[in-house]
Amino acid sequence: MAVRVINEKCKGCSICIKNCPFDAITMVNKIAVIGQACTGCGVCAEKCPFHAIEKVEEDKAHIDLSQYKGVWVFAEQRNNKIMPVAIELLGEGRKLADQIGTELCAIVCGSNIESLTEELFAYGADKVYTADYPELATYTTDGYTKVIFEAIEKYKPEIVLLGATHIGRDLGPSLAVKANTGLTADCTKLEIDPVDKKIKQTRPAFGGNLMATIVCPNHRPQMSTVRPGVMEKAIYNPSHKGEVVKLDVQFHEGDIRTKVIEVIKTLHDAVSLTDAEVIVSGGRGLGNAEGFELLKELADKLGGTIAASRASVDAGWIDHSYQVGQTGTTVKPKIYFACGISGAIQHIAGMKDSGCIIAINKNDTAPIFDVADIGIVGDLYQIIPAIIEELDKQEA
Ligand code: FAD
Ligand code: SF4
Ligand code: SF4
């Protein structure tokens, strides 16, 4: 959906400007002009007392799908370090690109990011689009949307993949609205039809009780955000090289409406659940926040990290960034300890692919035992200290 001002009808009353929730309208020569920030929400069309703004349905017949080529991966970086999910997306993107005989590209935004291109080539990108500007030093929805949307308009990728990180979940919908295309959020599986080149994007639906497969038949690019930790990482090959395309971006006043004053890192920054090889996770069975200190003791001994079920997060015992599951992080460690976790489907969705699942629960009928490789029935406050003691003995 888009909107258009009918100049002959516009009286310059400014009512639309006051009502636009996205500050997307300006007055030029007493006529309303709709700018880049427009999301197509349609509020202005409803508010204009002179019916001078009309909603324009896109004419599907006018989109020539064959113009769109290439698989793009949004190479999210933080502090000039490529996020692991971007490497996973390059791995998945490579498979999709090979199946439809097209190129795999990465697009990276930031400031002083030149050094990242070699890494992206080594992870399989054939081409890297870079936008290296001080305005992009920290993520803003407006800045990144402007740059990537302009690149999409110019180079017309047929597929754009983003990580379902905080940034990807913000940027993906913003880009999809501007590009007037669909977006499937939080995918856990991607497949492509090599003939019609439509991606089948699968994601959990209805509280994880069924998997929905979604296609985007009439619009391009096809866009997905993909859960971190689900796809296999691309293989690193430093001899793989490619082409750099520097994006020429002109920033104008008002293009970026937010200013990042300070980035406050949470103490969780040191922990990466998706990369951890050992995770000791605690649920409501811990009974209190202090229980995580015991779990941390075990995790430290094994060189791992702690995590949590949603019940622990909801109880305020631990930050949400530690949550494993459907509405948390998907993890694939070598060893996953589930301590005092019942094994609800939404929790299992986020850890079932772990190498070895060790469940500690005092209820022998808890569903967690159905997915566990090793099940220990008993009180975690007796069992975990016993495991720690045993590890201490082995160390000694
Ligand atoms: P409980 O189900 O209360 O289980 C506690 C367990 O601890 C019990 O099995 C009990 O026997 C055991 N226990 C108690 N004391 C001890 C002890 N001393 N020693 C050993 N065992 C003990 N949940 C998630 O985890 N992640 C998600 O991402 C998530 N997303 C959701 C999304 C939606 C849309 C919905 C509806 C729910 C979601 N949930 C999620 C919530 C999920 O349904 C469960 O409510 C939650 O996982 C339960 O957490 P729990 O296992 O810690 O608590
Ligand atoms: Fe023009 Fe309608 Fe906006 Fe008034 S509300 S400035 S008439 S488009
Ligand atoms: Fe603003 Fe929505 Fe109108 Fe676009 S459609 S100009 S975002 S009110």
Side-chain angles (χ1 to χ4, degrees), residues 139-315:
Y139 172 78
T140 58
T141 316
D142 283 345
Y144 273 48
T145 301
K146 174 184 165 68
V147 170
I148 301 175
F149 172 63
E150 286 177 6
I152 288 174
E153 287 267 280
K154 186 166 177 190
Y155 297 103
K156 298 194 179 345
E158 59 189 315
I159 294 170
V160 177
L161 307 177
L162 304 95
T165 58
H166 293 296
I167 288 179
R169 284 171 202 248
D170 181 70
L171 178 63
S174 174
L175 283 172
V177 168
K178 295 221 52 106
N180 199 23
T181 188
L183 170 89
T184 305
D186 233 7
C187 296
T188 52
K189 189 171 160 194
L190 298 173
E191 293 163 291
I192 196 153
D193 185 321
V195 179
D196 66 15
K197 301 184 179 178
K198 291 187 187 117
I199 14 172
K200 294 181 201 157
Q201 306 159 96
T202 302
R203 52 150 300 150
F206 296 105
N209 289 320
L210 65 84
M211 301 302 280
T213 299
I214 295 159
V215 289
C216 177
N218 300 319
H219 296 76
R220 290 294 177 273
Q222 305 172 79
M223 291 186 60
S224 323
T225 61
V226 176
R227 282 188 154 217
V230 174
M231 307 295 182
E232 294 292 328
K233 278 189 175 150
I235 294 164
Y236 185 77
N237 172 9
S239 61
H240 183 262
K241 302 285 171 207
E243 182 193 345
V244 178
V245 180
K246 291 190 177 172
L247 297 171
D248 181 18
V249 186
Q250 309 292 325
F251 287 99
H252 303 108
E253 210 190 322
D255 277 349
I256 301 177
R257 293 164 297 165
T258 47
K259 191 171 163 195
V260 179
I261 294 170
E262 192 184 356
V263 177
I264 301 169
K265 292 185 181 170
T266 62
L267 45 90
H268 165 61
D269 258 11
V271 177
S272 170
L273 283 183
T274 42
D275 288 338
E277 295 203 336
V278 177
I279 292 180
V280 184
S281 193
R284 204 197 313 263
L286 285 180
N288 52 50
E290 290 70 43
F292 279 104
E293 285 165 22
L294 178 65
L295 301 197
K296 180 137 187 3
E297 203 183 321
L298 176 59
D300 286 348
K301 287 233 167 295
L302 298 168
T305 180
I306 53 166
S309 72
R310 177 153 147 187
S312 308
V313 173
D314 288 350

Side-chain angles (χ1 to χ4, degrees), residues 5 9-17 25 27 30-32 44 47-53:
V5 177
K9 288 190 178 178
C10 176
K11 306 281 186 247
C13 69
S14 298
I15 289 174
C16 54
I17 296 181
I25 312 179
M27 196 61 70
K30 296 193 177 157
I31 304 259
C44 54
K47 296 288 179 185
C48 172
F50 303 100
H51 306 289
I53 303 184

Side-chain angles (χ1 to χ4, degrees), residues 283-284 309-310 323-327 340 342 346-347 361 379-380:
R284 204 197 313 263
S309 72
R310 177 153 147 187
Q323 183 180 314
V324 168
Q326 188 192 317
T327 42
S342 59
Q346 297 88 358
H347 187 81
N361 198 302
D379 184 342
L380 68 94

